[in-house]
Amino acid sequence: MNDQRELNISLLKVVAEFFLKRNVNFVIVAGHDLNNLESHTETESWLKKIRFNQDGVGDRIAWLKSAPKHFEALYSDLPQYSKEYINNIFTPVPNINTRRGRANLDHKSRYVNVSNGYRHTVGQPEVYDNSIFIVGGSSTYGFGCEDKHTLPSLFQKLINESKFLRNTYSVFNLGARGNPKFVDIYKLLNLNVLPNDIVVLQGVDLDIVKKLSYLRTDMFHFVFPNFSERNNMEELFFDNGHVTYKGHALVAKQLFKNLFFSSSNNKQSKPIRFLAEEERVRALCLLDKFTHEFTLLHSNLDFYPELQHYLDELKLLRVTAESVGAVVVNSNPFTLGHRHLIECAASKMDYLFVFVVEEDLSYFSFKNRLAMVQEGTKDIANVTVVRSGKYIMSTTTCPSYFSREEKQTVELDASTDMDIFGEYIAPILNISVRYVGEEPLCNITNQHNQQMRNILPTYGVRVEVIKRILSKNNIISASLVRNYIQGSAVDRIEDLVPPVTLRHINSIVNT
């Protein structure tokens, strides 16, 4: 079990059981590597000899962005091919290490776009029955490709063009550059999947795939990318281990055929036990250890000075207490409901940090919201009110949250927000519990709370829901208060907000 390859084999068996028990199709796709091909073109032989160091071509990214000589054969058939195009698709999108894998930060450009941590999949249907999650490293993410040319986008295109599959599946790109496979495995074991979903792990070492292939079932598939047709398509590889959009299109077709046209597909397989319980427990313990060590050893906070500055700011607030909790509030405005949530949370913990959302996209300014919460909780001795910065509930970590009043049907992804909180913020302040208010009204906030309950416990942070309080049989909410203000009915809010908020509202209304 000390050998990393043997550990990955055991862990992939754990993953297969995990999905089979949930009636989810699981597919392992071998990675792209020129060393695995039986024959090579002249360009491929040259690429195998390339060395990315001071004695070779230098930095790999800089070399690729320079559009080396073989790029003419790779990209020149695209009408958009230019130096600007190459620079755009080979510009790395920032990501941040977490125990659940590298999380992509949001990015917008002409050809490469990331939202809510996911690379954009072109052609996703608005209404669909099930999800297809494709997990992996840079090949899954689509480094060196525009959005429509990634493996997930090309796979979605095949589904959309199929008469019997159209609108059945939406494909999600969960790829991130630089993930070792055991971190991808950790991500797989924390996926929220439904029966009949499909999960694809792309880029697994060929030897590992061969060793596991005897376990093939109707719902556990293996794909060995076949590049024997590459000569008919000119060149496919832009370096030793990555293919262009032509290669992704080839793999997408083979994956599509394996999943939907395989004669053995009847989706009636019963889960089978791949591992003895002792081996399973040991493998999972090592997975937890390695993912934690990976985060510590490969932290890339030097590339995120704002986050590092914010964490340094939080270090000054550390307290010596056995139990520390957290609450995150927007308080737009601060209501008796917020006060109740904070009071309850503070009564359960030795100390409580209350983070006020700093993003200034609310009816009340951040300055006013912060002042209301600070003054409205100053009598609670074990509470400290803190600004949230750009890495807790912000347009950087969870942009969909801020469109909740206009688009209640939007599908929220709070994974980046939760990963950053769990991996970086909670440990600094020794936070072990995060409290949230019960949410019966807002679909977006409810999604956020649900994802919080699924993700934060993987970091050792328990999530506890506090029941809402009522006023005259109505749930107290900030949105109700804002409705009264906008309807010139300020006199109706006295039972909904504390005195400090009422003073702020009156000062605004009377100016």
Side-chain angles (χ1 to χ4, degrees), residues 258-323:
N258 182 286
L259 273 170
F260 302 117
F261 291 95
S262 172
S263 59
S264 63
N265 270 359
N266 57 37
K267 297 191 176 181
Q268 298 300 315
S269 292
K270 294 182 179 180
I272 59 176
R273 185 167 291 274
F274 294 151
L275 285 173
E277 185 62 25
E278 183 179 351
E279 186 180 358
R280 177 185 293 100
V281 171
R282 191 178 182 192
L284 289 173
C285 286
L286 285 172
L287 175 64
D288 187 69
K289 173 178 179 289
F290 288 160
T291 51
H292 183 63
E293 289 177 351
F294 172 76
T295 301
L296 295 178
L297 291 173
H298 297 274
S299 176
N300 52 2
L301 289 182
D302 289 344
F303 295 100
Y304 307 98
E306 284 187 280
L307 176 55
Q308 185 61 68
H309 178 76
Y310 181 65
L311 296 178
D312 290 340
E313 184 180 312
L314 293 182
K315 289 177 184 177
L316 302 176
L317 301 176
R318 287 172 172 165
V319 294
T320 53
E322 288 190 16
S323 62

Side-chain angles (χ1 to χ4, degrees), residues 159-172:
I159 290 172
N160 294 349
E161 292 172 349
S162 170
K163 293 181 180 179
F164 70 96
L165 287 175
R166 189 178 298 127
N167 295 333
T168 304
Y169 294 102
S170 183
V171 182
F172 294 88

Side-chain angles (χ1 to χ4, degrees), residues 113-129:
N113 295 278
V114 176
S115 178
N116 296 327
Y118 294 151
R119 177 79 186 267
H120 178 53
T121 299
V122 175
Q124 283 180 310
E126 291 186 7
V127 179
Y128 55 92
D129 298 323

Side-chain angles (χ1 to χ4, degrees), residues 6 121 126 128 182 188 212 223 228 231 324 369 382 389 401 467 477:
E6 292 304 314
T121 299
E126 291 186 7
Y128 55 92
F182 67 83
L188 291 173
L212 287 170
V223 175
S228 60
N231 289 333
V324 181
R369 289 185 288 107
N382 63 333
Y401 182 82
K467 190 174 180 61
S477 70

Side-chain angles (χ1 to χ4, degrees), residues 226-460:
N226 180 4
F227 294 113
S228 60
E229 302 173 17
R230 67 192 186 285
N231 289 333
N232 299 328
M233 304 173 67
E234 297 181 354
E235 301 293 345
L236 299 180
F237 286 80
F238 64 73
D239 65 15
N240 190 41
H242 299 86
V243 295
T244 67
Y245 66 98
K246 299 173 186 176
H248 290 315
L250 203 60
V251 176
K253 289 179 182 178
Q254 293 171 15
L255 177 59
F256 185 81
K257 181 179 179 180
N258 182 286
L259 273 170
F260 302 117
F261 291 95
S262 172
S263 59
S264 63
N265 270 359
N266 57 37
K267 297 191 176 181
Q268 298 300 315
S269 292
K270 294 182 179 180
I272 59 176
R273 185 167 291 274
F274 294 151
L275 285 173
E277 185 62 25
E278 183 179 351
E279 186 180 358
R280 177 185 293 100
V281 171
R282 191 178 182 192
L284 289 173
C285 286
L286 285 172
L287 175 64
D288 187 69
K289 173 178 179 289
F290 288 160
T291 51
H292 183 63
E293 289 177 351
F294 172 76
T295 301
L296 295 178
L297 291 173
H298 297 274
S299 176
N300 52 2
L301 289 182
D302 289 344
F303 295 100
Y304 307 98
E306 284 187 280
L307 176 55
Q308 185 61 68
H309 178 76
Y310 181 65
L311 296 178
D312 290 340
E313 184 180 312
L314 293 182
K315 289 177 184 177
L316 302 176
L317 301 176
R318 287 172 172 165
V319 294
T320 53
E322 288 190 16
S323 62
V324 181
V327 170
V328 178
V329 293
N330 194 27
S331 292
N332 184 35
F334 183 60
T335 68
L336 290 174
H338 294 115
R339 168 75 190 197
H340 172 73
L341 169 63
I342 293 169
E343 276 185 318
C344 286
S347 69
K348 296 170 180 286
M349 308 300 290
D350 294 328
Y351 209 83
L352 182 74
F353 288 98
V354 178
F355 296 90
V356 180
V357 173
E358 191 168 352
E359 202 73 67
D360 241 334
L361 294 173
S362 300
Y363 183 85
F364 290 86
S365 70
F366 167 66
K367 180 180 178 181
N368 284 333
R369 289 185 288 107
L370 181 66
M372 283 187 274
V373 179
Q374 287 175 330
E375 189 174 344
T377 60
K378 64 182 181 181
D379 60 310
I380 308 177
N382 63 333
V383 166
T384 291
V385 179
V386 190
R387 70 182 185 91
S388 71
K390 291 186 177 181
Y391 292 93
I392 301 177
M393 285 305 298
S394 70
T395 53
T396 298
T397 62
C398 196
S400 298
Y401 182 82
F402 295 90
S403 63
R404 65 190 186 280
E405 291 188 11
E406 294 79 18
K407 299 180 180 179
Q408 278 293 306
T409 58
V410 72
E411 186 170 333
L412 183 91
D413 174 37
S415 59
T416 299
D417 191 70
M418 294 299 103
D419 287 333
I420 292 175
F421 186 88
E423 189 64 50
Y424 294 100
I425 294 168
I428 280 183
L429 296 175
N430 198 31
I431 294 168
S432 59
V433 185
R434 182 159 160 178
Y435 292 90
V436 296
E438 178 188 35
E439 187 47 72
L441 301 175
C442 177
N443 174 50
I444 304 303
T445 303
N446 189 51
Q447 287 185 64
H448 185 270
N449 290 351
Q450 182 58 50
Q451 291 181 37
M452 191 187 305
R453 289 193 290 270
N454 291 335
I455 295 173
L456 286 187
T458 68
Y459 293 101

Side-chain angles (χ1 to χ4, degrees), residues 51-107:
R51 296 293 177 267
F52 300 110
N53 53 40
Q54 60 182 8
D55 299 321
V57 297
D59 177 73
R60 173 174 167 267
I61 303 298
W63 179 72
L64 292 169
K65 291 176 72 172
S66 72
K69 62 182 182 180
H70 65 302
F71 273 32
E72 188 73 20
L74 297 177
Y75 295 99
S76 62
D77 60 328
L78 297 174
Q80 63 269 40
Y81 176 63
S82 65
K83 288 185 178 179
E84 178 190 0
Y85 178 74
I86 295 301
N87 184 74
N88 192 296
I89 63 175
F90 281 101
T91 294
V93 170
N95 54 41
I96 192 165
N97 286 321
T98 76
R99 288 182 69 192
R100 297 180 70 248
R102 280 194 168 111
N104 299 308
L105 296 185
D106 283 6
H107 178 86

